[in-house]
Amino acid sequence: MTTTRTLLVAAGCLGIGAAVIALGRPVQERPAASVLAAGPRVSVAARWRLKVDTIRRGEPLTVALERAGLAPQEAAEALSVASALDPRKVRAGTTITTKVDPDSGASEVVLQLAVDRAVRFTRLFGQPWVEREETLQWTTDTVVVGGVVTSTLTGALADGAQAFPERQRTELAYALADILEYRVDLSRDLQKNDSVRVLVERQTAENGLVRPGDIIAARITVDGKPVETMRFTQGNRPAYFDGDGKAMRAAFLRAPLAFRRISSVFGLRRHPILGTLRRHQGMDYAAAAGTPVRALGNGRVAFAGWKGGYGKTIEIRHTNGFVTRYGHLRAINVRAGQSVSISQTIGQVGSTGLSTAPHLHFEVLVNGVHRDPRVALKNQSGEPLKPAQRRAFEQRKARLFAELENPTPRLAARPMSTRPDGD
């Protein structure tokens, strides 16, 4: 009997071994608990659907959310818990990312409000929405960038600001132009081989994103002569001052267009329509039709209407006997007698009157006499520092311009904006 049992056991083992060989590989061992918990075999394909969309101009946020996959009720419930944003003020172009299940509905909505700020709405099935604001953490150091002018300021910084992505270099050039616009007409005054050096904050996010922060100090040569500017706090507000301690912000801007190039300058030229050589009493700024025209300084509108060959024209009377004239406009946004402030949009570039193409004709009169705008406006400077601030200003200036010439990166733990030395 014992022999028979032994033979049966051996035969059973041989049968099992043959079965394993026939299947090609042994069965993978699995813990019993995992087998019991696994349940019936189902498809593991993801059911969640991710969709990315953007808010269109003039579109309510609820409409954009519905297009992104939310049911109207879901969109309303999500926005009902919003506290980190005003749903009525979310800008066009804002990215929306949604996570939606065909059966259970939406479980997540992300609004990318800025490059470093997002608001995330999440919920579990059957539960209320929960809002969470997310911001990138930044660290800030300072770098020196610059270059030599071959054609434009933008081109010089595009070549010399390798510390920033290409698009950010253009933004840095515009930021510097905004500071200098009371002193320098960067579209005309710069000459080939002029140079620019800028001490600027560099902000770096955890994900590697880099962007420029505040400009701390800058030196630019204009027609071979240095123009310096630095950020300094007088009172409670930081502002920019030149190397002599005078505010960069002055009574007049240097040009009536924020983005511009000059097509002709003060002096003798052949009139494009009349065909005669006559004194051109101002400057022409070539620009696309509809480009906003801004007031060069505070004043009162002395004339707004049609003025012969000038076409639609605005004249503004300022203090100290200055009058500025803006011609060939397509549209006029002010009326005679109205007070205007510096940088206020007063009209749009056009081609009315004796004009061959859209451009702005600009003149400056001082006590009724035409003056070269580049000369007349150059002599207008900002208010000087208060005497009590002079010592602190000189100390900061010496430190910053030494840093500008011999940069040593300084790292700070996330000051999104640093308060400049001053008071």
Side-chain angles (χ1 to χ4, degrees):
M1 185 69 178
T2 303
T3 302
T4 304
R5 180 176 298 174
T6 300
L7 291 173
L8 290 173
V9 170
C13 291
L14 289 172
I16 293 173
V20 170
I21 294 173
L23 292 173
R25 59 181 179 181
V27 177
Q28 183 179 0
E29 292 185 1
R30 297 174 63 192
S34 67
V35 175
L36 293 174
R41 187 176 182 87
V42 296
S43 171
V44 296
R47 297 179 57 83
W48 297 108
R49 296 177 182 172
L50 286 176
K51 185 172 182 180
V52 180
D53 207 333
T54 57
I55 300 177
R56 299 169 183 172
R57 186 177 300 275
E59 180 180 55
L61 181 55
T62 53
V63 174
L65 291 176
E66 291 171 20
R67 191 176 63 254
L70 273 69
Q73 184 65 23
E74 290 177 324
E77 290 174 351
L79 296 181
S80 69
V81 303
S83 61
L85 60 85
D86 185 341
R88 299 167 300 178
K89 297 181 179 180
V90 179
R91 295 181 299 178
T94 298
T95 301
I96 302 174
T97 304
T98 57
K99 185 178 181 181
V100 181
D101 182 270
D103 296 329
S104 58
S107 65
E108 185 175 81
V109 177
V110 181
L111 298 176
Q112 192 71 43
L113 301 179
V115 68
D116 59 350
R117 178 172 175 251
V119 175
R120 186 182 301 271
F121 300 90
T122 57
R123 69 170 181 177
L124 298 175
F125 179 70
Q127 299 297 315
W129 287 95
V130 176
E131 178 195 41
R132 184 172 76 252
E133 184 175 10
E134 301 172 350
T135 57
L136 286 177
Q137 299 297 309
W138 298 86
T139 55
T140 302
D141 65 349
T142 56
V143 295
V144 173
V145 300
V148 176
V149 175
T150 57
S151 58
T152 64
L153 175 67
T154 304
L157 288 181
D159 294 336
Q162 302 296 326
F164 299 102
E166 185 173 355
R167 183 175 62 85
Q168 302 290 353
R169 300 173 208 168
T170 300
E171 293 180 6
L172 178 60
Y174 289 152
L176 180 59
D178 288 342
I179 297 170
L180 297 173
E181 67 178 350
Y182 293 90
R183 298 297 183 86
V184 182
D185 186 342
L186 293 170
S187 64
R188 186 65 189 179
D189 294 344
L190 284 182
Q191 302 294 321
K192 187 176 181 180
N193 296 325
D194 281 347
S195 63
V196 57
R197 288 180 68 84
V198 183
L199 177 65
V200 60
E201 291 178 340
R202 175 177 58 184
Q203 297 176 348
T204 306
E206 299 167 309
N207 62 359
L209 183 68
V210 176
R211 68 181 184 184
D214 291 324
I215 291 174
I216 305 301
R219 178 184 290 121
I220 181 171
T221 59
V222 181
D223 196 14
K225 300 177 182 179
V227 176
E228 296 179 338
T229 185
M230 58 174 272
R231 185 178 166 93
F232 182 76
T233 297
Q234 181 175 242
N236 296 321
R237 298 180 62 183
Y240 288 93
F241 294 82
D242 65 16
D244 296 325
K246 293 182 179 179
M248 295 297 291
R249 184 180 176 90
F252 292 98
L253 300 168
R254 288 299 306 277
L257 302 181
F259 301 96
R260 72 272 183 197
R261 62 183 179 88
I262 300 176
S263 61
S264 65
V265 296
F266 189 92
L268 293 177
R269 69 159 193 165
R270 186 168 297 279
H271 192 277
I273 292 180
L274 300 180
T276 58
L277 195 63
R278 52 186 281 178
R279 190 161 186 81
H280 189 230
Q281 306 282 16
M283 303 177 74
D284 285 348
Y285 292 77
T291 300
V293 177
R294 57 187 184 173
L296 248 70
N298 298 336
R300 187 175 296 276
V301 179
F303 178 86
W306 189 273
K307 196 177 185 71
Y310 288 99
K312 292 184 177 180
T313 302
I314 298 172
E315 294 179 357
I316 299 177
R317 189 174 302 280
H318 309 274
T319 57
N320 300 325
F322 275 71
V323 172
T324 54
R325 179 179 291 159
Y326 314 78
H328 304 313
L329 302 175
R330 181 175 79 173
I332 295 176
N333 297 355
V334 294
R335 63 183 185 279
Q338 177 180 341
S339 295
V340 295
S341 57
I342 189 169
S343 294
Q344 179 179 335
T345 298
I346 57 175
Q348 298 176 7
V349 170
S351 187
T352 56
L354 293 178
S355 171
T356 56
H359 71 284
L360 174 69
H361 176 72
F362 172 68
E363 297 178 4
V364 172
L365 297 88
V366 181
N367 297 322
V369 179
H370 281 96
R371 296 282 305 278
D372 182 341
R374 289 180 299 166
V375 176
L377 299 174
K378 187 175 183 178
N379 296 328
Q380 306 300 310
S381 60
E383 294 293 324
L385 275 168
K386 297 176 181 177
Q389 297 296 313
R390 174 59 64 174
R391 182 177 180 183
F393 175 83
E394 293 295 342
Q395 291 174 343
R396 179 167 172 80
K397 175 187 173 183
R399 184 170 69 254
L400 291 182
F401 282 94
E403 181 79 8
L404 190 68
E405 294 303 322
N406 300 288
T408 55
R410 297 172 293 163
L411 192 65
R414 192 204 161 110
M416 285 301 297
S417 61
T418 55
R419 176 181 172 86
D421 298 340
D423 295 350

